[in-house]
Each structure stands twice: as C-alpha cells, then as structure tokens.
Amino acid sequence: MTLPNPTPDARAVVTGASSGIGEALATELAARGHSLILVARRGEVMEELATTLRHKHGVTVEVRACDLSDRDARAELVEELADRHVSILCNNAGIATFGPVSGLDPAYERAQVELNAVAVHDLTLAVLPQMVERRSGAILNVGSAAGNMPIPNNATYAATKAFVNTFSESLRGELKGTGVNVTLLAPGPVRTETPDPADASIVDKLVPDFLWISSEHTAKVSLDALAENRMRIVPGLISKAMSVAGNYTPRAIVAPIVGTFYKKLGG
Ligand SMILES: NC(=O)c1ccc[n+]([C@@H]2O[C@H](COP(=O)([O-])OP(=O)(O)OC[C@H]3O[C@@H](n4cnc5c(N)ncnc54)[C@H](OP(=O)(O)O)[C@@H]3O)[C@@H](O)[C@H]2O)c1
C-alpha cells in the first residue's frame, strides 16, 4: 500500500499548516511531490511557507486562511473540499487548555471542541465520498496520547483527542478494502520549537533533550505509516510509554496521577 500518486489536480490538505507538526507535514508532502492546500488562520504565515515550497519542490500550493472553530467559515471550506480532488487529508490543527474547566473561558473551551473534534469530523466527511468513489485516498488524523486516558486539568483537550483517536481507528475498520487509508497519529510530547530557557514549561524541564522528538521526524514517520495504512503511529519513547500507561492502567488509577502532573501545567 502507498499514498495516492501526486497528479496535477490532486491536493493534499493540511490543517494547522502555519506551524509545528502541520508545517512539517506540509513540507514533507511537498518534498514527496504532492500539491497542497494549506489551512490555518494566519494566511500571511502560510503564504511564506507556500512560496518556499513552490520554489523548492515545484508543487502547487494554495492557502486557505480559515478559523476552523467557526462553523460558518468551516462550512465554506467543507463545501469547497467536497468538490475538489483531495487525495490526502491531514487533520492536524488543534489547541489545548490546562487547569480546571470551571475556571476556564467557556467560549474558548467550546472553540476547542469545534476545532479539535467537530472540524476533524466535518472535513473527513467532506472528502470521504470522493475517496471511496475513486478507491484511493489517505487520511491522517492527529489525536494524542492524551486521548487514551482521563486527564483532570486538561479535560476538554483529553476528551476531544479521545474522540479523534476512537473516530479514526473505527473509521479505518469501515474502510478496509476500499483503497482509502486512515492512520491515527497519537503522539506524546513533540518539540515544535526550541524553548527559551527563561520560560520553558515543566515538560521542557522534566524531559531530557534526547527523549524529545521533532516535528520533522514526526511528519516523516506519520506519512510513512499512512502509506502503509497502519492503524496508529506513536512516535518516540515517551509517547510509547504514555500510550501503554494510558491504554492499560485502570482509569481510576491513572486519572489522579496525571491530574496532579497537569495541575502544574495549568498553574
Ligand atoms: N506538540 C505536541 O507535543 C503534541 C502532542 C500531541 C498531540 N499534538 C497535536 O498535534 C497537532 C499540532 O500541534 P502542534 O504542537 O504542532 O501545535 P502548534 O504549533 O500550536 O500548531 C497548531 C496549528 O493549528 C492552527 N490552529 C489553531 N487554531 C486554529 C483555528 N481556530 N483554525 C484553524 N487553525 C487553527 C494553528 O495555526 P493558526 O494559529 O495560524 O490558526 C497552527 O498551525 C494538534 O492537534 C495537537 O493537539 C501535539
């Protein structure tokens, strides 16, 4: 099994392409010859990336500045993608909040659910019919090791990622034999930029440098896994350890342990 071959009218869509893992996915897809549609809110940042990728790899790159947490803005994109030839979809855009939900901004928590979960569902449903009809397509959904367990002080994020993890792995089962690949990327910590020592997070301080994985490595192994139609890719040692702990430790035991750790992140 492989990724769909690049063709002049086919596009690989990457959400959250203006930074981090999404930017790395877009860069790796362009290096493999795929023309792109980049989606995030910061259009100017994506235009810069688009210019670089066009020059370096000779691919076509389109930019869609869109707030995916906004239902109306998202509906326009959904409508467009349903009518385009989307060969690959990477649902990557996501945000996280920390601390007790009771103290967080309800509007931002709702936006997090819209972006992390509902937009993933909407975009997937927009492109699935054409992929199934062509008997060719590939969908990479970015969930998280956080979606494997209850996490007090990270409740909305953990719940939205549980949705992405379960939706992706269920969908993959439905699509067996259709020619459409679905892979879940469920990482633990990925270092998307070098932290400033002055305001490094507790995770930055606790995890030694050699255990971190980069966005670039994550993008490469995830697209390889998608080409092989693997169910789930969990890159890096910490991610694998978090994954095993989250999947096999009783939830009543794991919740207070991770909750205490995430309380520090919330502070
Ligand atoms: N890094 C990690 O350690 C880690 C671990 C597990 C899972 N993940 C998951 O990996 C994905 C990427 O994370 P990252 O670390 O690369 O994050 P990041 O660098 O903060 O990138 C997030 C991307 O999402 C976009 N985005 C945010 N809000 C948006 C909105 N309302 N509409 C459209 N786009 C929006 C951002 O672009 P704009 O600001 O331009 O909109 C940006 O391109 C996320 O789903 C995250 O949950 C990350």
Side-chain angles (χ1 to χ4, degrees), residues 199-207 212 260-262 264-266:
D199 56 21
S201 73
I202 183 170
V203 182
D204 282 313
K205 286 177 187 152
L206 285 179
V207 178
W212 280 96
T260 305
F261 179 71
Y262 274 75
K264 293 190 176 135
L265 293 178

Side-chain angles (χ1 to χ4, degrees), residues 16-21 40-42 66-69 92-95 115 142-144 157 161 187-190 192:
S18 60
S19 64
I21 298 170
R41 289 167 302 178
R42 287 171 296 159
C66 174
D67 182 344
L68 288 169
S69 69
N92 160 78
I95 52 174
L115 175 67
V142 184
S144 173
Y157 181 75
K161 292 300 180 179
V190 176
T192 52

Side-chain angles (χ1 to χ4, degrees), residues 3 6 12 14 20-36 38 49 53 56-57 59 88 90 140 215-224:
L3 291 178
V14 181
I21 298 170
E23 180 183 344
L25 284 168
T27 303
E28 182 63 25
L29 282 161
R32 297 182 189 200
H34 295 276
S35 288
L36 297 162
L38 308 180
L49 175 64
L53 298 180
K56 204 165 168 198
H57 302 294
V59 293
I88 299 171
C90 299
L140 179 74
S215 305
E216 292 73 20
H217 171 76
T218 301
K220 277 195 181 72
V221 296
S222 300
L223 292 174
D224 288 346

Side-chain angles (χ1 to χ4, degrees), residues 28-245:
E28 182 63 25
L29 282 161
R32 297 182 189 200
H34 295 276
S35 288
L36 297 162
I37 299 177
L38 308 180
V39 184
R41 289 167 302 178
R42 287 171 296 159
E44 68 294 351
V45 177
M46 291 186 291
E47 287 295 354
E48 269 182 44
L49 175 64
T51 304
T52 306
L53 298 180
R54 284 181 202 118
H55 286 144
K56 204 165 168 198
H57 302 294
V59 293
T60 302
V61 186
E62 300 173 57
V63 167
R64 296 289 177 275
C66 174
D67 182 344
L68 288 169
S69 69
D70 178 313
R71 288 194 167 204
D72 294 334
R74 199 169 69 224
E76 272 182 44
L77 181 73
V78 161
E79 204 177 321
E80 181 193 353
L81 295 185
D83 285 339
R84 297 290 301 271
H85 177 167
V86 178
S87 52
I88 299 171
L89 171 64
C90 299
N91 276 310
N92 160 78
I95 52 174
T97 49
F98 302 93
V101 167
S102 60
L104 297 173
D105 173 9
Y108 195 74
E109 292 302 285
R110 199 174 307 114
Q112 187 175 183
V113 175
E114 287 287 334
L115 175 67
N116 292 10
V118 189
V120 171
H121 199 244
D122 276 0
L123 295 192
T124 302
L125 267 56
V127 303
L128 257 185
Q130 51 158 299
M131 288 182 173
V132 171
E133 198 182 322
R134 278 195 308 271
R135 298 195 59 79
S136 169
I139 300 174
L140 179 74
N141 285 338
V142 184
S144 173
N148 300 334
M149 55 193 144
I151 307 185
N153 301 304
N154 190 221
T156 303
Y157 181 75
T160 59
K161 292 300 180 179
F163 173 85
V164 177
N165 291 4
T166 302
F167 177 61
S168 309
E169 294 184 336
S170 306
L171 185 62
R172 180 177 179 278
E174 293 176 12
L175 292 170
K176 196 164 186 260
T178 62
V180 182
N181 297 3
V182 180
T183 294
L184 169 71
L185 163 61
V190 176
R191 189 163 264 171
T192 52
E193 55 192 46
T194 310
D196 178 347
D199 56 21
S201 73
I202 183 170
V203 182
D204 282 313
K205 286 177 187 152
L206 285 179
V207 178
D209 281 350
F210 75 94
L211 281 178
W212 280 96
I213 51 163
S214 68
S215 305
E216 292 73 20
H217 171 76
T218 301
K220 277 195 181 72
V221 296
S222 300
L223 292 174
D224 288 346
L226 182 62
E228 290 163 15
N229 199 22
R230 281 174 54 189
M231 190 165 185
R232 177 185 287 227
I233 170 80
V234 181
L237 273 180
I238 298 188
S239 302
K240 286 185 174 69
M242 273 182 80
S243 219
V244 171

